[in-house]
């Protein structure tokens, strides 16, 4: 019986070692792939030849999951497709997506990596040094917010709020506040309710049931991306401040506002009162 127990323990150890050997490369590949995820930028070329000065070429790369986009690379300008990273051979294999009648092609790079830099060497032995850009997919984004007293939501779906102007009269030290009633059409608004676990999007009817008379609400304005000034390059477009109803902004609001607060996000044009 003792011998059988020893044989059983030996078989368990052998199986465990085999599984570890099989899982090891997979785990390494997953860790490397996660390290490579993000946006990288660098340049190649440039210098002087026979009195002619050549400007370096800007190159950028985006990796997210098994998807990749390249811009400005030698023989791979504006290419997108699938990426496979092999830490055993230290290679990156890019398979381009087929577009129309164009067949897919495969490009392979050797790589040397650190947490924030990546050197890729192509089949012609030309290397490019890339730096990882400091970017975040879901931060606690900044939000411009107004907190106002709301009288309610009428039958036409208009949010009625009260804004105040501060006034002083004569020689008194007292400050008086003059109310101004405004009404916002909610047909183009996004409405959220602050709950324990974050903000939940709700309908105008649900908002009407949640609101208590003379309770404060939060108001933010969504910019129009079509009319807003945008800084565009071939590979990226800078859109400006985060939209108040984006996931990143809602994450900030969910951690800041009191549970039960209603948040109304209106188009930017409604920020200016109508005459």
């Amino acid at each position: 019986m003792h011998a059988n127990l020893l044989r059983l323990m030996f078989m368990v150890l052998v199986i465990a070692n085999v599984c570890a050997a099989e899982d090891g490369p997979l785990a390494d590949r997953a860790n490397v792939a996660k390290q490579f995820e993000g946006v990288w930028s660098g340049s190649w070329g440039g210098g002087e030849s026979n009195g002619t000065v050549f400007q370096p070429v800007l190159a950028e790369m985006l990796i997210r999951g098994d998807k990749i986009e390249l811009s400005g690379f030698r023989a791979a300008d504006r290419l997108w497709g699938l990426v496979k990273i092999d830490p055993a051979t230290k290679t990156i294999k890019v398979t381009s997506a087929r577009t129309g009648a164009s067949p897919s092609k495969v490009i392979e790079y050797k790589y040397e990596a650190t947490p924030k830099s990546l050197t890729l060497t192509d089949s012609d032995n030309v290397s490019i040094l890339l730096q990882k850009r400091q970017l975040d997919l879901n931060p606690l984004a900044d939000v411009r917010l107004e907190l106002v007293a709301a009288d309610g939501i009428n039958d036409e779906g208009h949010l009625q709020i009260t804004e105040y102007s501060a006034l002083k009269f004569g020689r008194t030290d007292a400050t008086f506040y003059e109310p101004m009633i405004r009404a916002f059409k909610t047909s183009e608004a996004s409405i959220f309710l602050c709950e324990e676990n974050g903000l939940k999007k709700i309908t105008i009817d649900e908002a009407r049931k949640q609101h208590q008379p003379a309770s404060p609400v939060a108001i933010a304005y969504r910019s129009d991306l079509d009319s807003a000034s945008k800084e565009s390059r071939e590979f990226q477009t800078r859109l400006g401040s985060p939209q108040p109803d984006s996931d990143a902004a809602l994450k900030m609001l969910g951690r800041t506002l009191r549970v039960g607060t209603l948040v109304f996000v209106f188009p930017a044009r409604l920020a200016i009162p109508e005459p």
Side-chain angles (χ1 to χ4, degrees):
M1 182 176 179
H2 183 67
N4 290 336
L5 181 60
L6 288 176
R7 280 196 294 270
L8 179 60
M9 293 176 62
F10 176 76
M11 290 177 63
V12 169
L13 288 173
V14 170
I15 293 172
N17 287 333
V18 170
C19 291
E22 291 178 350
D23 292 342
L26 293 176
D28 289 345
R29 194 171 297 163
N31 290 334
V32 171
K34 187 174 181 63
Q35 176 187 339
F36 281 22
E37 277 199 316
V39 179
W40 303 78
S41 61
S43 61
W44 59 273
E48 183 179 350
S49 177
N50 297 324
T52 303
V53 177
F54 297 93
Q55 295 295 325
V57 179
L58 175 66
E60 294 178 293
M61 175 177 73
L62 164 66
I63 295 179
R64 191 171 183 191
D66 63 348
K67 307 293 192 303
I68 188 170
E69 290 188 46
L70 301 176
S71 174
F73 280 68
R74 295 178 71 250
D77 187 30
R78 294 321 308 262
L79 178 147
W80 60 92
L82 299 177
V83 63
K84 183 178 180 180
I85 303 168
D86 188 348
T89 59
K90 286 195 170 184
T91 57
I92 294 179
K93 186 178 291 186
V94 179
T95 303
S96 69
R98 296 188 61 178
T99 55
S102 301
S104 60
K105 63 178 180 179
V106 178
I107 302 174
E108 188 170 286
Y109 298 95
K110 291 283 187 179
Y111 75 80
E112 293 292 336
T114 70
K116 293 186 178 182
S117 67
L118 180 65
T119 301
L120 299 181
T121 303
D122 61 22
S123 58
D124 293 327
N125 208 32
V126 176
S127 296
I128 176 173
L129 174 63
L130 302 171
Q131 302 291 332
K132 193 170 190 179
R133 294 188 56 178
Q134 187 174 348
L135 299 169
D136 198 332
L137 280 171
N138 191 24
L140 284 173
D142 49 296
V143 188
R144 277 65 174 172
L145 202 65
E146 296 179 7
L147 299 174
V148 296
D151 300 318
I153 304 170
N154 63 22
D155 293 339
E156 295 177 341
H158 294 179
L159 173 68
Q160 296 177 314
I161 68 168
T162 303
E163 297 177 334
Y164 291 89
S165 294
L167 301 171
K168 278 191 177 294
F169 293 91
R171 298 186 180 185
T172 179
D173 291 334
T175 301
F176 296 86
Y177 296 90
E178 182 177 31
M180 181 182 71
I181 308 300
R182 288 184 64 189
F184 287 88
K185 296 179 181 178
T186 59
S187 57
E188 298 180 70
S190 297
I191 309 172
F192 301 88
L193 173 65
C194 187
E195 299 183 327
E196 290 285 354
N197 298 321
L199 269 70
K200 172 187 174 183
K201 192 170 185 178
I202 61 174
T203 65
I204 186 64
D205 290 333
E206 291 172 318
R208 188 181 286 111
K209 293 176 183 177
Q210 288 287 336
H211 184 262
Q212 300 296 322
S215 296
V217 299
I219 293 179
Y221 298 98
R222 183 193 314 110
S223 62
D224 184 355
L225 291 180
D226 292 331
S227 61
S229 59
K230 297 184 288 188
E231 176 193 334
S232 296
R233 294 208 311 254
E234 186 177 3
F235 195 65
Q236 76 169 36
T237 301
R238 188 176 295 276
L239 303 177
S241 298
Q243 295 285 24
D245 51 358
S246 65
D247 290 341
L250 293 176
K251 182 179 176 182
M252 169 66 86
L253 296 178
R255 295 196 185 184
T256 305
L257 299 175
R258 187 175 63 182
V259 172
T261 302
L262 291 173
V263 180
F264 293 81
V265 181
F266 294 101
R269 68 178 185 278
L270 297 185
I272 303 174
E274 295 181 358

